[in-house]
Amino acid sequence: MRGMMDVDVGKLNQMLRFLQSCRRYSDEISADEDGREVCVAGWLHERRDLGGVLFSIIRDRGGIVQVTFRRETVGEEMIERARGVSRESVVAVIGVVKADRRAPRGFEIVPRTFEVLNEAAAELPLDATGKVHANLDTRLDARFMDLRSERVRNIFMVRAEVQRLAREFLNSRGFVEINTPKIVSTATEGGAALFPISYFEREAFLNQSPQLYKQMMMASGFDAVYEMGPIFRAEEHDTTRHLNEATSLDVEVAFADHEHVMSLLEDLVVFIYEGIAEYTERKKMDFRIEVPKKPFERITYDHAIELLSEHNIEMEWGDDFSTIAEKTLGEIIGAHYFITDWPCEIKPYYAMPAAAAGCDKDASSERCNAFDLMHPRLELASGSQRIHDYNLLRKNIEMRGLDPESFRFYLEAFRYGMPPHSGWGLGIERLLMTMLNVENIREVILFPRDRRRLVP
RNA sequence: GCCCGGGUGGUGUAGUGGCCUAUCAUGGAGCCCUGUCGAGGCUCCGACUCGGGUUCAAAUCCCGACCUGGGCGCCA
């Protein structure tokens, strides 16, 4: 291999090949490497010019590292060049590690070469050092720069880790990852609003949930599947906990009842929390992760109504919980919990009635084997045992005023050997925002889509 | 969809009828400074969302539009 000093930094792609071969992130370098030559590349985070000595702070994915320019070590030409570089410009440095107690991390880099790969314009749309507060709206407009700040970068590193942990957990339990269409011909469940799109000469929609497809996979013999992907809701809600494009982790398991998938969900959530607690600790991230305790409390829908009544919140049997009711229940319980045994009428048509599953001896029971996973702040997931009987499912669709013909592709799967099955869908953004104690759901998705925002 | 706020330099703010050729911080341009670590000192630069109205006088009051924050509703 050629020595570092042989690189002709004037030739861009030679420089890039060189960076590929030896570039290191700033957190990988320490004072222990005193005297060793290293190369780093990143953004000019800050510059402190003291006249005869100039400190350039370079930031990359690993954090920050100080590069020290002194007249006697780097020469007048380089120090002048370093002085003229605007903040947030992309730079590359080859230099020698010098242990020095005066330096921020106990060492600094004395540069041999200092190259500006791309100059940043002034003034910046945001302060990437975090000294000046910016509104979320301003930050999202300049999200590429917002993502350069440590806190925001950490949120998305945690998000990636959450998704990795979810896959690790489900893969280890024998689940098969699937991908289902996001462009569909019909509403999944009839209720929520859909985004219409133009599909050649026909109208189509963005899918609001993989529900129908993951159920059809149960008839395929795949037994246990999951999908992590986007879901689209055209609801005009405008809150800190709703998105029009969100990420859902959907799971479906054959030969399993709702109790089984509730335990699975509980195990998954705790597994992710434990993994993230370890991850943020190891990466020295400034988050306090409180791992929830198993088992999560299970309260029935009826019991929830009683609890609310004791706190002077009255609701009719058959109503869904209002925002204030959800928050009050959260305060009463103070931890993750399940709400179970919901009225059929406020759950989707595919939810298994308790009577049909033999869970309720009363044949006229109006309850179903559905559940919601709640965080004290908001709903995280909902699921149920599903109806696997063709005739019952078809009857339910009709009773909701939906046209069974438009569900034909789905219903067919129930006629030729559909096993009993259960599943749930978990909102990844909601899991993240509650785990990291973030107020606004937009903080935990790179480029949020909400009622007003379509760019960037 | 309903209710309540807000729109002032690149960013975050102060200012609620005349004291505003508009405050402070950050930033940008420049000068000084050999150990900064939210560096420091000095000089300069840069803004009242748009349209209409009230008034002798509007950043400030009224109306409308647009943008925006929060709460509720809606939401497998």
Side-chain angles (χ1 to χ4, degrees):
Chain A
M1 202 183 97
R2 306 173 66 191
M4 288 193 182
M5 294 309 290
D6 299 334
V7 173
D8 180 353
V9 291
K11 291 181 182 161
L12 175 64
N13 284 20
Q14 191 183 341
M15 180 75 176
L16 294 182
R17 281 195 296 276
F18 179 72
L19 288 177
Q20 285 295 317
S21 69
C22 71
R23 178 188 174 206
R24 294 167 68 193
Y25 290 122
S26 54
D27 60 341
E28 299 166 351
I29 305 169
S30 74
D32 301 341
E33 298 186 66
D34 185 52
R36 206 171 145 186
E37 195 162 61
V38 293
C39 101
V40 295
W43 289 259
L44 183 64
H45 186 66
E46 247 181 307
R47 186 179 48 227
R48 302 192 191 99
D49 185 358
L50 280 69
V53 60
L54 171 73
F55 302 105
S56 286
I57 313 299
I58 293 178
R59 185 192 64 248
D60 60 25
R61 219 175 80 180
I64 57 170
V65 65
Q66 173 165 293
V67 180
T68 305
F69 299 81
R70 303 166 68 110
R71 279 210 187 87
E72 61 269 29
T73 54
V74 306
E76 197 64 40
E77 187 275 330
M78 193 189 287
I79 203 167
E80 275 310 310
R81 206 149 40 83
R83 210 189 300 277
V85 184
S86 59
R87 293 204 318 168
E88 295 301 321
S89 292
V90 178
V91 298
V93 170
I94 301 167
V96 174
V97 175
K98 182 166 165 271
D100 192 322
R101 276 192 319 214
R102 295 172 297 182
R105 293 174 50 216
F107 76 94
E108 59 201 13
I109 295 175
V110 179
R112 289 209 185 140
T113 67
F114 174 78
E115 286 305 310
V116 180
L117 299 180
N118 213 161
E119 183 102 6
E123 307 177 67
L124 302 170
L126 282 178
D127 168 29
T129 64
K131 273 182 270 185
V132 183
H133 175 261
N135 292 324
L136 182 58
D137 189 54
T138 310
R139 289 171 43 207
L140 292 175
D141 281 341
R143 190 59 147 169
F144 66 92
M145 184 152 294
D146 183 48
L147 286 159
R148 295 180 190 177
S149 77
E150 188 183 7
R151 181 186 151 73
V152 178
R153 174 167 19 100
N154 286 348
I155 287 174
F156 289 97
M157 293 304 283
V158 168
R159 181 179 165 122
E161 185 66 7
V162 163
Q163 298 194 3
R164 194 194 66 73
L165 287 161
R167 287 195 167 93
E168 182 186 321
F169 176 89
L170 291 166
N171 291 158
S172 76
R173 296 218 178 183
F175 279 76
V176 177
E177 181 167 8
I178 59 167
N179 297 283
T180 64
K182 302 307 150 205
I183 300 174
V184 296
S185 67
T186 187
T188 300
E189 292 150 35
L194 294 157
F195 287 111
I197 59 168
S198 162
Y199 192 73
F200 305 110
E201 69 283 359
R202 282 180 288 174
E203 186 182 49
F205 303 94
L206 294 177
N207 206 178
Q208 63 186 237
S209 152
Q211 180 66 31
L212 272 35
Y213 292 95
K214 64 176 181 172
Q215 281 192 264
M216 288 161 72
M217 289 305 288
M218 295 300 94
S220 73
F222 277 66
D223 273 14
V225 300
Y226 73 95
E227 174 166 17
M228 197 156 18
I231 55 169
F232 305 91
R233 304 282 163 93
E235 300 297 334
E236 300 213 4
H237 36 47
D238 193 6
T239 76
T240 53
R241 57 186 188 283
H242 289 276
L243 292 166
N244 292 294
E245 178 176 358
T247 314
S248 170
L249 172 58
D250 268 85
V251 157
E252 205 67 26
V253 188
F255 307 104
D257 67 0
H258 58 298
E259 300 282 354
H260 176 85
V261 293
M262 279 166 76
S263 298
L264 180 81
L265 176 55
E266 178 177 73
D267 288 348
L268 172 81
V269 168
V270 171
F271 179 82
I272 291 175
Y273 263 85
E274 284 171 344
I276 295 301
E278 186 277 323
Y279 177 80
T280 52
E281 170 102 23
R282 176 160 45 86
K283 296 283 185 182
K284 297 180 172 55
M285 289 180 180
D286 192 20
F287 293 118
R288 271 214 337 275
I289 309 295
E290 287 180 39
V291 181
K293 301 258 185 302
K294 281 193 284 190
F296 299 165
E297 197 171 333
R298 274 112 165 119
I299 63 170
T300 64
Y301 172 88
D302 289 36
H303 185 50
I305 290 182
E306 282 170 28
L307 286 173
L308 288 168
S309 183
E310 287 165 18
H311 287 75
N312 299 315
I313 296 176
E314 303 298 337
M315 55 185 275
E316 295 283 316
W317 197 89
D319 282 351
D320 207 343
F321 298 99
S322 65
T323 306
I324 186 74
E326 250 180 40
K327 282 180 182 162
T328 306
L329 277 174
E331 279 165 29
I332 296 167
I333 294 160
H336 287 77
Y337 63 101
F338 286 105
I339 301 177
T340 64
D341 302 276
W342 288 74
C344 293
E345 59 185 291
I346 48 172
K347 285 294 172 187
Y349 57 80
Y350 49 74
M352 175 69 93
C359 297
D360 199 325
K361 290 185 198 75
D362 177 7
S364 64
S365 166
E366 290 170 24
R367 294 183 182 82
C368 64
N369 289 348
F371 59 89
D372 278 8
L373 172 63
M374 308 296 296
H375 177 275
R377 279 171 64 195
L378 45 76
E379 179 188 333
L380 294 180
S382 70
S384 66
Q385 180 174 0
R386 324 297 194 187
I387 294 171
H388 56 275
D389 179 79
Y390 173 84
N391 291 318
L392 179 57
L393 185 58
R394 190 187 164 99
K395 192 188 87 189
N396 258 251
I397 288 174
E398 282 169 352
M399 272 168 49
R400 302 287 173 118
L402 300 168
D403 178 12
E405 267 315 295
S406 62
F407 289 90
R408 192 190 180 90
F409 73 96
Y410 164 69
L411 283 168
E412 281 298 291
F414 289 75
R415 294 181 60 206
Y416 307 99
M418 173 63 87
H421 60 282
S422 299
W424 42 256
L426 167 71
I428 293 292
E429 283 82 15
R430 287 185 170 194
L431 177 67
L432 268 165
M433 71 187 286
T434 50
M435 180 157 57
L436 300 180
N437 205 222
V438 165
E439 287 298 319
N440 196 315
I441 198 165
R442 293 163 182 80
E443 296 261 12
V444 302
I445 186 163
L446 285 171
F447 300 103
R449 289 290 173 265
D450 62 32
R451 180 68 186 86
R452 298 178 187 123
R453 184 173 287 278
L454 197 49
V455 285

